Amino acid sequence: MWLKPEEVLLKNALKLWATVKSNDYFILQRRRGYGEGSGGLAGLLVGTLDAVLDSTAKVAPFRILHQTPDSQVYWNIACGASEEEIAQHWEWLQQNIMRTLSVFDSSDDITSFVQGKIRGLIAEEGKVSLVQEDDPEKFREALLRFESWFSLPDKEKLVTYYSCSYWRGRVPCQGWLYLSTNFLCFYSYLLGNEVKLVISWVEISRLEKTSSVLLTESIRVCAGGEEHCFSMFLHLQQTFLLMEQLADYAVRRLIDKEMFPSDHILTDPLQITKRGLETHARNEAFRAFFRLPREENLLEVYESFLWLPFSYFNTLGKICVSENYLCFASQDGSQCHLIIPVREILSVEKPDRLSRALTVCMRGKRALRFSEVRDFERLAATIRKKCGNTASPQHSASCQALLECGEDEEGLMVGQRSSSKTVSTEALMNVFHPQDAENLDPKMLKEKMKEQSWQIHFAEYGRGTSMFCTRRTRDLIVRGVPESLRGELWMLFSGAVNDMATHPAHYSELVEASLGASSLATDEIERDLHRSLPDHPAFQSDTGISALRRVLTAYAYRNPKIGYCQAMNILASVLLLYAKEEEAFWLLVAVCERMLPDYFNRRIIGALVDQAVFEDLIREHLTQLTEHMTDLTFLSSVSLSWFLTLFISVLPIESAVNVVDCFFFDGIKAILQLGLATLDYNMDALLCCSDDTEAVTILNRFFDSVTNKDSPLPATVQQAPVGTNDRAAQRVDISDLIKEAYEKYGDIKSEEVESMRRRNKLYVIQTLEDTTRQNVVRVVAQEVRFSGPHMDELYVLFKRQHFLSCYWTAGSAALQHHDPSLPYLEQYQLGLAQFSSLLLLLQPWSPGAYTHTLARWTFRLIDDNHDGLVNFREFCRALDILYSGSFTEKLKFLFKLHLPPVCSPDGPDDGVIRRSPEKGRGKVDLQAYLKQWQDEIQKKEESIKDLPRIEQAQFILLSKTLYGLFHGDPEEEALFRAVARVTSLLLRMEEVGRRLQEDSQASTSPQSPSKTSPSLPQTSSPTKTSPSPPQTCSPSKTSVSPPKASSPTKTSASPPPTSNPAEAIAEQLEAVSVDPEALSPGQDPVSASEEAPSSPKASSDPPSPSSSGTLETETELANTPSEHTAPPSPQGMEWSFSFEQILASLLNEPVLVKFFEKPVDIQKQLDRAKRDQLKLKAQITK
């Protein structure tokens, strides 16, 4: 690697470096302690320095220095991790630099020329791989160490690195922590003690900051049942946040199979950088705080004061600018914040340059005045550019007048503009329960008072998208939102109004596109339509049911990854009561995709994460309950419906809508607060519970007793309480319950909740993964002979191999063809390349030239559904035969591998996945599933009599495979001879069978054999997939094979009738002999037999005494085209064998039986695979 030239005093380095080569201008040196003579104290000291100090010159074992004859100063210009790498740099210098240096007269000119060339090379490299790094030079040095220490594939992207200590017990090891896209790595080398860790992000179950007596602050990482503690960071908080982001990115990409099509920062895992992750986190926090569409990104931030007309003072805060919005948040974030859509801005003025102020004029005769803006001219130019208009003096005068008088007229909400294409333009509550303005009922009078309070609030704080949101707004929310304003305020606080304004015709297009569509989601929607608020009049009519169907179907069409999940119907039905149909759709989008992420999917990860957060809050705030109920999982199961339906499924509808009001304003924090208040209210009763059933009964009675005394809804709409006992008669008003929740637990901050969400997400996902593993292992273990621990380790290896196919590819086939509708058994599958690599690590025999071909055939054989993927069950079945199968089972497996079409060169397209990525979205064919289930039940074990006969070409391939399996075995020569004897025996049996067949034909027909052979009876079972002609039957009660019928053309070209086909084949097989003792060390007998005919001298050598007899016969069988392709059969010499014949012949050779029945050390194979899995991937990529 080329380095930025740095001065080096050679006399200070003589003790650490040894010169390998030199010339007049360059010196190549090797670091002492590496290569030859690396042992001893010098090697330990040098290795320790390399691990602790941050310098490539002290890490790379080779370097190149530039020198001039008349100077004592040397320049370090290159380093290398291997001798080959540094040799390439040295050769480049010799060819491109040395000839040019002779023309310079001055040493300074020579040095300047060399430095310029090296900097140019570094700049060219930086354009490709080292972009967006704070310090490219130091990053290059760290990258070199990272690659040399951990031997990961070259594509693995290093994101950043930190100096820290790793604690092994009570002893710290100082070293370096490397954070890459897929791995957390640590390296330390102190006085001969090397510590090396490589942990995949997807294996981490806990990632949290901790403190103890010994460590003030540290980062604890739990993975694979082990804990790792890192401390002494210079920037611990920054490191921890970056680790959280990388872990979350890996989980979303590899486990949740997200492709990030709309986020260019995360799309390509090979381009992930520290700066990019920080930008992504900042954009997500910005969108979450202001509830903006996912297309918005934080572009600029300005610190300024904002004039608050309702308080008559300036508040300090920050102006955040995105593509389409201008947002402001006060310094503490709670006093006030507002959102200004660029579409609402009319002009921008700078009335006072001394105070660095500017005024933003908006529709509705409103104006906002920002002062003390550090770069106010740039901000004004940015806003003008986005608005596309310039200010005029008239605008300036009107803005100033607005500021002076503080007037504010009611603004129009963009989201309230109805679309002509929308099917329903009225909220269902207005249709089925219109308010009577003349009704003087006390509840209606209180409702009017609420409306009046909100009108006053609108007059002071504004109305619509640019309304000031303050503590006063929250107080009004807690007291209750009037029925007439609920839909408008839901749209505003959720941010759905901005989504709707950004995509004005999107909903109507989705309705038209999804009309008549049939899928699994639509079937589930139809099933649940009449279960959504069945007691409400709106959903007892076709109007409400049709609107609900359109909203749910449109969303399933918009987001097929979620599609439809239970509880979405309940939520959507409540939204339709108070919002127009299109507004209800965008409210559903805001809830599912922004406010409750990962809630509505197959595994409801988001709800489980929030339940874990809820448990943490219970431990913190309700310690008395925690001490009584040591296991809080019961509360998690009870509260699941609270989170999924926002309490709608457990509270009466008139009370539940008040909870939804708070949720849209405060997010999930409001649900957590209400859950704590619910448990606190029932604390005494829960402490007296003896079992879980009693606790469930207490909570159900409590929810039945919750009422909304201020609700103006008629009795036909309100839900009647279920309980009739005295305790249920003690009513609890929902407003009082919500008020108590905010008073007791209102100090919970949204930032803390988000941090707890991130911390618990990894644990929840790993818990689900462990549950999936247990289920898969339990199912597969019934079909194989592996032990439980071995099955667990096999599953981990299989899953990791699946991830290896996704690590370094943005659009890997495993991600693109992921089908979430599949059962857990098929969530992780392998393609041909990944399967071959894993089989190479786990195969019980020595690897050889046959390995990859055998892996390809094995993949074809066990891919039952021919979709180009192999699941864990199929993989374990094959491996179980190879490890624990009997001699007959193993031989049958090898036999089937050499039958067409498995071994055919024109077999199925290997590596081509034939599953449609749309499979999980289509309609499920239940009849096909039932038929497949019935076939699996009725499927009987395959008998050896059901196996077809093996043809001549395939039998030769089988012989070659056996030779490959024996290579490297201590009894290799004996095994070769045994196979040769078996082959000779089979050929003699074939000869006897042919003679019997000829005698039988001669005695029954006067015609010549050439004329009668095509019309022989065909009673033997032919091979359906074999392209060769059908075989004739063998004589009854014999196990030999008859000759195959020959065509007339072949008969004319065949040897004379006096020559026997078996003898002719035997003579041809004896033409080449291979002596196993003559093989070079490590040479494959298969390859040796393939090379034999190419050398005339080798073919004319006399056979070795040790390999005389039948060995020549089998080695000729191996003399076939390379890569295990089926050779063409000689004309007139077709023969075949049944499996029974081969089995009976091999059973007569004890050495062969012993070889196949030799026990396999499964644990040793698994340990080797775990150790070499990443190394093999790195070798393949290189």
Side-chain angles (χ1 to χ4, degrees):
M1 183 177 72
W2 300 108
L3 301 176
K4 181 180 178 181
E6 292 182 354
E7 289 187 10
V8 175
L9 294 179
L10 189 60
K11 63 181 181 181
N12 294 334
L14 287 177
K15 295 181 180 180
L16 298 178
W17 295 90
T19 300
V20 179
K21 354 176 139 171
S22 64
N23 54 39
D24 293 339
Y25 300 102
F26 300 102
I27 300 176
L28 192 155
Q29 293 183 327
R30 174 180 55 82
R31 189 162 177 79
R32 297 186 187 277
Y34 293 89
E36 299 178 1
S38 59
L41 182 59
L44 294 178
L45 292 176
V46 172
T48 300
L49 288 174
D50 292 346
V52 175
L53 300 181
D54 182 15
S55 173
T56 299
K58 298 171 183 174
V59 172
F62 298 93
R63 71 177 182 180
I64 296 178
L65 303 179
H66 164 61
Q67 66 170 349
T68 53
D70 55 350
S71 175
Q72 297 295 322
V73 178
Y74 296 81
W75 298 85
N76 189 12
I77 61 172
C79 67
S82 64
E83 191 172 357
E84 293 78 11
E85 180 184 0
I86 205 68
Q88 293 178 1
H89 291 351
W90 181 266
E91 189 65 25
W92 188 90
L93 292 171
Q94 296 293 321
Q95 295 180 0
N96 299 277
I97 301 294
M98 286 296 295
R99 298 178 184 177
T100 309
L101 296 182
S102 60
V103 302
F104 292 97
D105 298 330
S106 170
S107 299
D108 294 338
D109 294 340
I110 293 175
T111 301
S112 299
F113 176 77
V114 172
Q115 292 180 357
K117 280 289 185 180
I118 300 302
R119 289 192 177 97
L121 292 173
I122 294 175
E124 288 298 322
E125 292 179 358
K127 292 179 181 179
V128 179
S129 60
L130 298 174
V131 295
Q132 297 184 358
E133 302 298 343
D134 295 334
D135 192 337
E137 185 61 31
K138 286 188 176 182
F139 192 81
R140 286 166 55 87
E141 299 174 3
L143 181 61
L144 177 65
R145 297 196 300 270
F146 176 73
E147 293 175 348
S148 62
W149 282 340
F150 301 106
S151 301
L152 294 173
D154 293 338
K155 290 184 178 181
E156 180 63 16
K157 179 69 172 64
L158 177 64
V159 177
T160 188
Y161 62 101
Y162 299 97
S163 173
C164 70
S165 292
Y166 170 65
W167 289 80
R168 302 179 68 182
R170 296 185 177 182
V171 180
C173 300
Q174 184 65 29
W176 291 92
L177 181 70
Y178 296 88
L179 307 181
S180 65
T181 307
N182 301 294
F183 300 97
L184 180 153
C185 306
F186 177 82
Y187 185 85
S188 173
Y189 187 90
L190 295 174
L191 298 178
N193 184 20
E194 183 182 51
V195 179
K196 186 185 297 185
L197 290 177
V198 178
I199 303 173
S200 175
W201 291 115
V202 292
E203 296 175 358
I204 295 178
S205 59
R206 284 286 188 188
L207 183 63
E208 56 189 0
K209 291 190 297 182
T210 60
S211 59
S212 62
V213 178
L214 293 177
L215 304 175
T216 54
E217 274 190 311
S218 60
I219 297 176
R220 184 165 67 97
V221 179
C222 299
E226 298 181 355
E227 289 190 4
H228 309 279
C229 190
F230 304 93
S231 66
M232 297 181 66
F233 289 96
L234 187 61
H235 305 288
L236 186 135
Q237 181 64 19
Q238 180 192 55
T239 307
F240 179 72
L241 292 177
L242 191 61
M243 292 170 70
E244 277 190 334
Q245 293 176 59
L246 286 170
D248 181 69
Y249 173 64
V251 165
R252 291 169 61 188
R253 189 170 70 89
L254 301 176
I255 296 182
D256 295 340
K257 304 297 187 296
E258 285 192 32
M259 301 291 290
F260 307 99
S262 59
D263 196 336
H264 68 279
I265 296 177
L266 304 180
T267 301
D268 188 357
L270 304 182
Q271 301 299 325
I272 297 294
T273 62
K274 176 184 175 183
R275 186 177 302 175
L277 289 173
E278 291 173 348
T279 302
H280 174 75
R282 188 165 58 249
N283 291 336
E284 281 198 332
F286 167 69
R287 289 191 293 264
F289 183 82
F290 291 105
R291 311 278 173 82
L292 295 178
R294 57 187 176 186
E295 296 85 3
E296 299 299 314
N297 296 294
L298 181 60
L299 303 179
E300 299 175 2
V301 178
Y302 300 87
E303 190 174 88
S304 71
F305 286 89
L306 173 63
W307 172 254
L308 303 180
F310 51 87
S311 301
Y312 299 101
F313 71 90
N314 288 305
T315 181
L316 177 63
K318 291 184 178 180
I319 304 173
C320 303
V321 182
S322 67
E323 288 84 351
N324 300 293
Y325 294 89
L326 186 71
C327 307
F328 178 86
S330 59
Q331 197 167 28
D332 58 358
S334 60
Q335 187 168 350
C336 81
H337 69 271
L338 78 159
I339 304 169
I340 311 170
V342 173
R343 61 181 180 268
E344 298 290 327
I345 299 177
L346 297 177
S347 63
V348 180
E349 294 297 331
K350 297 178 290 183
D352 187 359
R353 292 182 177 272
L354 295 177
S355 61
R356 294 180 299 178
L358 55 87
T359 303
V360 178
C361 300
M362 300 178 296
R363 291 187 176 92
K365 297 182 179 180
R366 295 187 58 197
L368 299 173
R369 186 176 187 273
F370 299 96
S371 59
E372 298 298 332
V373 183
R374 178 170 299 179
D375 196 353
F376 70 101
E377 292 184 351
R378 178 184 174 185
L379 176 60
T382 300
I383 299 175
R384 286 198 188 101
K385 183 179 179 180
K386 292 182 179 295
C387 294
N389 58 8
T390 56
S392 62
Q394 290 78 8
H395 281 129
S396 178
S398 61
C399 292
Q400 187 65 29
L402 286 172
L403 286 171
E404 291 176 356
C405 64
E407 293 180 358
D408 181 28
E409 294 186 2
E410 180 178 316
L412 294 176
M413 288 198 50
V414 177
Q416 300 296 318
R417 300 170 185 170
S418 61
S419 173
S420 59
K421 295 183 180 181
T422 305
V423 179
S424 177
T425 58
E426 286 294 330
L428 295 179
M429 192 63 75
N430 295 336
V431 176
F432 289 89
H433 179 55
Q435 292 187 8
D436 186 2
E438 299 180 357
N439 187 355
L440 299 180
D441 182 82
K443 291 185 177 180
M444 287 303 300
L445 290 177
K446 197 161 188 178
E447 186 76 3
K448 294 293 183 181
M449 293 176 60
K450 288 184 181 178
E451 292 181 7
Q452 188 65 27
S453 299
W454 277 97
Q455 294 298 335
I456 296 173
H457 183 274
F458 292 150
E460 295 181 358
Y461 297 87
R463 185 172 187 175
T465 53
S466 56
M467 180 181 71
F468 287 94
C469 293
T470 64
R471 293 173 181 171
R472 169 67 176 166
T473 311
R474 178 182 281 111
D475 293 339
L476 289 176
I477 291 287
V478 171
R479 290 193 301 189
V481 175
E483 300 281 322
S484 60
L485 297 176
R486 183 160 275 136
E488 175 185 343
L489 294 177
W490 285 0
M491 288 289 291
L492 174 63
F493 296 142
S494 67
V497 61
N498 298 316
D499 291 319
M500 185 172 169
T502 307
H503 309 87
H506 185 59
Y507 176 67
S508 57
E509 294 171 357
L510 289 175
V511 171
E512 293 176 3
S514 62
L515 187 64
S518 179
S519 65
L520 177 62
T522 57
D523 292 344
E524 293 178 347
I525 290 171
E526 290 296 329
R527 182 188 62 200
D528 290 345
L529 282 178
H530 295 279
R531 303 176 184 176
S532 308
L533 302 184
D535 297 331
H536 198 284
F539 298 101
Q540 295 174 355
S541 67
D542 184 64
T543 303
I545 293 296
S546 298
L548 181 61
R549 178 187 294 111
R550 287 190 294 269
V551 169
L552 293 176
T553 306
Y555 184 79
Y557 191 86
R558 164 190 163 88
N559 191 346
K561 183 180 178 180
I562 293 179
Y564 170 78
C565 292
Q566 288 187 347
M568 289 176 64
N569 60 318
I570 298 176
L571 180 60
S573 60
V574 173
L575 299 177
L576 282 167
L577 289 177
Y578 295 97
K580 301 174 184 178
E581 187 175 320
E582 184 176 7
E583 295 173 348
F585 169 79
W586 287 113
L587 284 169
L588 186 64
V589 170
V591 172
C592 296
E593 298 178 8
R594 186 167 59 243
M595 302 187 72
L596 296 179
D598 297 327
Y599 260 63
F600 302 97
N601 55 30
R602 188 175 60 89
R603 301 197 295 178
I604 58 172
I605 291 177
L608 297 177
V609 170
D610 283 343
Q611 282 184 299
V613 174
F614 188 50
E615 288 183 18
D616 291 344
L617 292 175
I618 292 174
R619 294 187 183 96
E620 180 180 350
H621 296 277
L622 303 176
T623 55
Q624 197 174 3
L625 183 62
T626 306
E627 294 172 357
H628 178 72
M629 303 178 65
T630 55
D631 186 9
L632 296 180
T633 54
F634 157 72
L635 293 177
S636 297
S637 59
V638 171
S639 63
L640 181 61
S641 61
W642 305 356
F643 293 94
L644 283 175
T645 64
L646 307 179
F647 283 91
I648 296 173
S649 62
V650 294
L651 288 175
I653 183 62
E654 66 274 9
S655 301
V657 291
N658 286 36
V659 180
V660 179
D661 296 340
C662 299
F663 168 74
F664 279 127
F665 188 83
D666 276 324
I668 193 62
K669 170 189 168 184
I671 305 299
L672 294 170
Q673 291 176 174
L674 186 60
L676 292 174
T678 299
L679 296 179
D680 187 26
Y681 189 91
N682 296 274
M683 177 73 73
D684 295 337
L686 291 174
L687 293 177
C688 298
C689 290
S690 57
D691 54 26
D692 296 345
T693 306
E694 187 177 352
V696 172
T697 304
I698 290 172
L699 292 176
N700 288 338
R701 288 176 178 174
F702 170 76
F703 289 129
D704 291 337
S705 67
V706 176
T707 61
N708 188 351
K709 62 183 180 181
D710 298 332
S711 175
L713 299 180
T716 56
V717 175
Q718 297 188 24
Q719 297 179 9
V722 179
T724 57
N725 52 29
D726 296 338
R727 184 170 180 81
Q730 299 176 5
R731 302 299 179 198
V732 179
D733 186 67
I734 185 64
S735 298
D736 296 336
L737 184 63
I738 292 177
K739 184 178 179 181
E740 182 179 354
Y742 272 91
E743 289 178 350
K744 287 188 174 182
Y745 310 107
D747 57 343
I748 299 175
K749 296 182 179 180
S750 300
E751 294 81 3
E752 296 177 359
V753 173
E754 291 301 321
S755 177
M756 297 170 72
R757 272 180 162 181
R758 291 192 298 267
R759 184 176 71 242
N760 285 284
K761 183 177 181 180
L762 294 176
Y763 175 74
V764 168
I765 288 178
Q766 290 303 328
T767 302
L768 292 174
E769 290 294 303
D770 290 341
T771 303
T772 300
R773 173 182 54 79
Q774 294 170 5
N775 292 333
V776 171
V777 167
R778 184 177 65 252
V779 172
V780 179
Q782 301 173 4
E783 307 175 17
V784 296
R785 285 157 283 196
F786 292 111
S787 65
H790 289 163
M791 287 292 295
D792 289 336
E793 294 188 44
L794 274 175
Y795 183 85
V796 172
L797 285 170
F798 189 88
K799 178 180 172 181
R800 186 179 300 167
Q801 193 69 25
H802 167 82
F803 287 154
L804 288 176
S805 66
C806 313
Y807 276 158
W808 302 284
T809 307
S812 66
L815 296 178
Q816 293 177 344
H817 294 81
H818 174 67
D819 187 355
S821 68
L822 291 174
Y824 53 77
L825 188 62
E826 300 184 12
Q827 285 302 304
Y828 297 118
Q829 296 181 309
L830 301 182
L832 174 60
Q834 292 74 41
F835 171 82
S836 301
S837 299
L838 187 57
L839 188 64
L840 178 64
L841 292 169
L842 292 171
Q843 63 179 356
W845 301 302
S846 302
Y850 68 93
T851 302
H852 295 288
T853 303
L854 209 60
R856 183 170 69 250
W857 294 349
T858 304
F859 182 84
R860 292 178 183 175
L861 179 64
I862 67 177
D863 184 13
D864 293 335
N865 54 0
H866 306 290
D867 62 350
L869 294 169
V870 169
N871 61 34
F872 183 66
R873 169 189 280 168
E874 296 166 340
F875 177 78
C876 284
R877 285 173 177 172
L879 202 63
D880 179 59
I881 295 175
L882 298 180
Y883 277 10
S884 308
S886 64
F887 174 76
T888 303
E889 290 175 330
K890 292 180 181 178
L891 185 62
K892 185 173 77 170
F893 186 80
L894 291 174
F895 185 86
K896 293 168 67 176
L897 289 181
H898 295 80
L899 294 175
V902 173
C903 66
S904 302
D906 56 348
D909 295 333
D910 296 315
V912 178
I913 299 178
R914 288 169 284 278
R915 172 183 296 156
S916 171
E918 305 292 326
K919 179 180 176 182
R921 305 174 189 175
K923 190 172 182 179
V924 177
D925 189 352
L926 297 179
Q927 295 296 330
Y929 273 104
L930 290 174
K931 186 178 183 302
Q932 181 182 359
W933 179 60
Q934 183 179 10
D935 293 342
E936 290 181 357
I937 293 177
Q938 297 178 352
K939 186 177 181 181
K940 62 179 181 180
E941 186 176 356
E942 184 181 36
S943 172
I944 59 176
K945 295 183 179 180
D946 300 330
L947 295 174
R949 303 176 68 85
I950 189 170
E951 303 292 339
Q952 171 183 338
Q954 285 75 44
F955 180 74
I956 294 176
L957 295 182
L958 176 60
S959 302
K960 290 182 64 178
T961 299
L962 291 176
Y963 275 135
L965 297 180
F966 303 151
H967 179 61
D969 191 88
E971 300 183 5
E972 180 177 359
E973 183 177 345
L975 290 168
F976 284 175
R977 292 180 178 181
V979 172
R981 287 192 295 269
V982 169
T983 306
S984 177
L985 176 62
L986 289 172
L987 288 174
R988 291 193 183 99
M989 293 169 63
E990 173 69 14
E991 179 184 353
V992 172
R994 288 180 183 275
R995 287 180 178 177
L996 291 174
Q997 186 71 13
E998 289 174 359
D999 293 344
S1000 176
Q1001 293 174 357
S1003 62
T1004 58
S1005 175
Q1007 297 181 359
S1008 62
S1010 62
K1011 294 181 181 181
T1012 59
S1013 58
S1015 60
L1016 291 175
Q1018 303 179 18
T1019 57
S1020 61
S1021 59
T1023 304
K1024 296 181 181 180
T1025 56
S1026 174
S1028 60
Q1031 303 177 34
T1032 58
C1033 67
S1034 58
S1036 59
K1037 298 184 181 180
T1038 63
S1039 59
V1040 295
S1041 171
K1044 295 194 67 175
S1046 305
S1047 62
T1049 57
K1050 287 186 178 182
T1051 304
S1052 61
S1054 62
T1058 56
S1059 64
N1060 188 282
E1063 294 178 355
I1065 293 176
E1067 292 175 0
Q1068 194 173 21
L1069 292 174
E1070 291 176 359
V1072 179
S1073 63
V1074 176
D1075 186 0
E1077 296 180 356
L1079 293 174
S1080 59
Q1083 185 178 6
D1084 192 345
V1086 176
S1087 60
S1089 63
E1090 292 174 355
E1091 295 171 0
S1094 63
S1095 174
K1097 182 178 180 180
S1099 60
S1100 61
D1101 288 342
S1104 170
S1106 63
S1107 59
S1108 60
T1110 56
L1111 181 59
E1112 295 87 340
T1113 303
E1114 186 56 24
T1115 51
E1116 174 59 21
L1117 292 177
N1119 185 21
T1120 57
S1122 61
E1123 294 301 321
H1124 278 57
T1125 56
S1129 302
Q1131 293 183 350
M1133 299 181 184
E1134 294 290 340
W1135 37 265
S1136 64
F1137 302 112
S1138 67
F1139 177 75
E1140 295 97 318
Q1141 290 177 282
I1142 298 176
L1143 175 62
S1145 302
L1146 291 176
L1147 284 173
N1148 290 326
E1149 299 292 338
V1151 65
L1152 289 175
V1153 176
K1154 179 182 177 182
F1155 175 81
F1156 282 104
E1157 292 187 346
K1158 181 169 55 178
V1160 179
D1161 190 344
I1162 300 177
Q1163 190 59 51
K1164 181 179 179 181
Q1165 293 290 109
L1166 294 174
D1167 293 340
R1168 183 177 68 87
K1170 287 189 292 185
R1171 183 183 67 249
D1172 299 339
Q1173 194 171 23
L1174 270 178
K1175 294 181 181 178
L1176 179 63
K1177 181 66 177 180
Q1179 293 172 2
I1180 293 174
T1181 57
K1182 291 179 180 179

